[in-house]
Amino acid sequence: MVSATMYAAVDWADRWLDCAVIARDGTRLGFRRVIYKNTSDPVAEVQDLLRSCNRTRWRTIPIGTEDPDGLVFQAMEDAGLTVVGIEPMLAARARKATTMGLTKSDRADAYLLADMLRTGGDRFRPVPRSSPEARAVRVLARAQAAAVKRRSRALHQLRAVLVTYYPAAVTAWPRLTLRHAQARAVLAAAPTPARAAALSRTELAGILRDAGRWRTVDDEAERLSLHFRRLALRTHPMVEAAKGVEMRAVLDTLDHACDAAVQLSEQVAEAFGAHADALVLQSFPGIGPLLGARILGEIGDAPGRFATARNLCAYAGVVPVVWASGLAQRTSHRRFANETLRDAIWQAAFCSLTKSPGAAAFYRRRREGGESHNGALRNLAARLLRALHHCLATHRLYDETLAFRDIHPAESRVG
C-alpha cells in the first residue's frame, strides 16, 4: 500500500520529463521539467526536486508513472527511489473524470498521476525490483514471443498470397508447414507455377539437400516434380509473374522471422539456464526453457513480491473474481491479469497432462465433476502456480506427491 506524507509523479516524453510533487492534502509542492539535452543525469534532477520538498525522507516519496519499464524509471529504481506503476487505462479514465480543472498537457498529467497515488490507496504498489538477470530473461522472452507472432503473421500472409495464384504450393507439403526450411527453399527457387513445373528432379534434389534434408531426397524430389507438373488452373503469365514478386517479398519476411525466432530461442534458453531459479521451474511437468523463461520473466525474482500463492494466481488470472453487493454474490472470470503469464501457465498446464500422472488425474476428476475443458485447465494452472510459489519460496524442486497429495494413488495412472 502506498502511504506517505507527499506523492510525486513523472510524465515522460521524447524530449523531457515533467515531475510534480503534491502533499497528502492535495497541495502542490513543486514541479520541474527536466529536458534531456540540458542534463546528462535526469534522475539527479528528479532527486533534487524531491530533496527540495523533503530533505530528510525524500527517498521514501513514491513516484508514479505509466511506464515503469522505461529507461529513466529503471535508473530511478537503481538509485533507490520508490517507483509505483499506474496502468495507462486507469490513468486515461481518471483523466476523463478528473475535476482538477486542468487541460491536457504533460504538466497536468504529472499532477494527475500524483493525485491518483494520493487517493488510490491499495490499488497502487511499488514496482518490485527484480535482479538484472531476471530482467534480462524477461526482455529476451518477450522478444522471442513477439518474433513467434511475427512468424505466424508472415506465414498466414504467405499462404494467403499463394492461394490466389499458386494453390499447388499450399498442398505440396501435407506433413510440413510452409514455414519449414524445405518449403521455403523450394518456393524461393520456384516463385511461380511455371518455374516450379520447369524444375528438374535433380534441381529439386539439390534444393532439398541445401535446405537440410538428407533422407529419401530423391523420392521427395520425384513427388514434388509430379505434384508441380499436374494440370491446374492458372492465371495470366504477366499477373503470375507479378504475384511471384509479391510472394518473394512475403517469403523474405517469413525467412527473417524464422531466423529471428530461432536465434532468440537459443538466447532465451542460455539466459534462463544461467538463472538460479531455472532448475526449480524446469522441474515442473510441462515447463521447458522457453515457457520457464516466460514465467520467470513475468514473475520476477524480487523477494516477497507475492505474499501468498493466491496473490500469484490472481496476477496470472487463473482464480475467479467474486463480486458481492448486499445479499447478491456473483463469480466471474478475471480479465485484468498479466496476459503473458496467463498464456504461459495455461500452456504449461496443458502440456503437464501428458507429463504428470497427478495433473492428468486432477484434470480428469474436474471433468467428471461437470467442469468444462477451460475450467478444469484453469484450476490445474492454479494448482501448478500454488506449487510453484511454494517451491520458489523454499528453493525446492517440484514433488509430484506433494503437489497432488489429495489425488488417490490409484487415480494417478495416466489412462
Side-chain angles (χ1 to χ4, degrees):
M1 180 177 66
V2 178
S3 178
T5 58
M6 55 187 64
Y7 304 86
V10 175
D11 185 82
W12 68 276
D14 293 339
R15 292 179 293 175
W16 58 68
L17 298 173
D18 281 352
C19 183
V21 183
I22 62 175
R24 181 181 293 174
D25 59 359
T27 305
R28 300 179 187 179
L29 301 179
F31 173 82
R32 179 173 299 182
R33 170 165 288 184
V34 181
I35 301 176
Y36 297 138
K37 69 178 182 179
N38 294 340
T39 178
S40 60
D41 190 357
V43 177
E45 298 285 338
V46 175
Q47 290 176 323
D48 184 61
L49 173 63
L50 300 179
R51 195 180 294 109
S52 66
C53 297
N54 189 332
R55 290 189 174 277
T56 58
R57 303 184 62 183
W58 59 274
R59 288 184 180 273
T60 62
I61 300 176
I63 304 174
T65 175
E66 296 180 70
D67 183 23
D69 293 328
L71 176 62
V72 174
F73 302 104
Q74 291 182 15
M76 289 182 183
E77 289 182 350
D78 294 338
L81 300 178
T82 304
V83 178
V84 180
I86 299 176
E87 286 293 328
M89 184 178 296
L90 294 178
R93 292 176 180 174
R95 192 174 292 116
K96 290 183 179 180
T98 183
T99 58
M100 299 176 66
L102 298 173
T103 59
K104 176 68 176 73
S105 65
D106 293 341
R107 181 189 181 106
D109 286 347
Y111 276 113
L112 174 65
L113 295 176
D115 193 65
M116 290 180 68
L117 283 187
R118 182 180 68 88
T119 59
D122 291 335
R123 289 193 301 169
F124 307 114
R125 298 175 181 270
V127 177
R129 299 178 184 174
S130 296
S131 66
E133 293 81 6
R135 284 153 55 184
V137 169
R138 181 184 184 184
V139 171
L140 291 173
R142 288 189 171 185
Q144 191 271 340
V148 171
K149 290 182 179 179
R150 289 194 299 269
R151 184 181 65 187
S152 298
R153 191 182 307 115
L155 179 61
H156 292 317
Q157 291 175 349
L158 176 63
R159 190 182 188 282
V161 173
L162 290 174
V163 166
T164 61
Y165 82 105
Y166 198 176
V170 180
T171 59
W173 294 274
R175 296 184 180 181
L176 303 176
T177 63
L178 290 175
R179 70 177 176 88
H180 196 276
Q182 297 177 34
R184 290 186 281 123
V186 173
L187 290 177
T192 63
R195 178 62 184 137
L199 287 176
S200 65
R201 295 173 179 81
T202 303
E203 290 174 325
L204 283 170
I207 294 171
L208 293 175
R209 289 192 182 92
D210 293 341
R213 189 182 183 97
W214 56 278
R215 296 181 61 183
T216 64
V217 177
D218 294 334
D219 294 341
E220 179 67 5
E222 174 74 16
R223 185 188 69 82
L224 290 176
S225 178
L226 294 175
H227 179 81
F228 288 133
R229 291 179 181 179
R230 291 175 183 170
L231 294 178
L233 184 64
R234 299 271 294 274
T235 185
H236 192 278
M238 293 184 63
V239 177
E240 185 177 281
K243 284 288 187 179
V245 174
E246 180 187 9
M247 188 276 292
R248 283 302 305 269
V250 179
L251 183 62
D252 290 342
T253 303
L254 178 60
D255 287 338
H256 179 74
C258 291
D259 294 340
V262 171
Q263 294 174 7
L264 285 170
S265 297
E266 296 173 353
Q267 294 173 351
V268 167
E270 180 180 355
F272 174 68
H275 196 277
D277 293 336
L279 291 177
V280 175
L281 282 161
Q282 291 191 98
S283 67
F284 277 70
I287 297 182
L290 294 182
L291 275 182
R294 293 184 187 180
I295 294 173
L296 174 63
E298 300 306 321
I299 293 177
D301 59 358
R305 177 177 184 182
F306 299 101
T308 64
R310 183 172 178 82
N311 296 145
L312 176 58
C313 291
Y315 182 67
V318 294
V319 290
V321 180
V322 178
W323 303 89
S325 177
L327 299 179
Q329 183 171 309
R330 179 172 60 89
T331 303
S332 65
H333 175 70
R334 185 181 295 271
R335 291 178 174 82
F336 186 76
N338 186 312
E339 296 291 342
T340 303
L341 178 59
R342 176 158 56 189
D343 293 344
I345 197 63
W346 273 63
Q347 187 174 349
F350 183 78
C351 294
S352 69
L353 295 178
T354 58
K355 304 292 184 181
S356 166
F362 179 86
Y363 173 84
R364 188 164 54 249
R365 174 186 292 182
R366 287 281 182 172
R367 292 286 282 154
E368 292 173 353
E371 282 191 0
S372 64
H373 166 75
N374 288 336
L377 203 61
R378 177 183 61 78
N379 281 286
L380 176 57
R383 174 66 70 94
L384 291 177
L385 269 184
R386 286 193 289 268
L388 179 61
H389 180 272
H390 172 75
C391 291
L392 289 177
T394 58
H395 301 287
R396 297 177 59 182
L397 298 182
Y398 171 81
D399 189 338
E400 180 86 5
T401 58
L402 293 178
F404 297 97
R405 55 189 172 187
D406 58 324
I407 303 294
H408 193 272
E411 299 181 49
S412 297
R413 297 192 299 267
V414 180

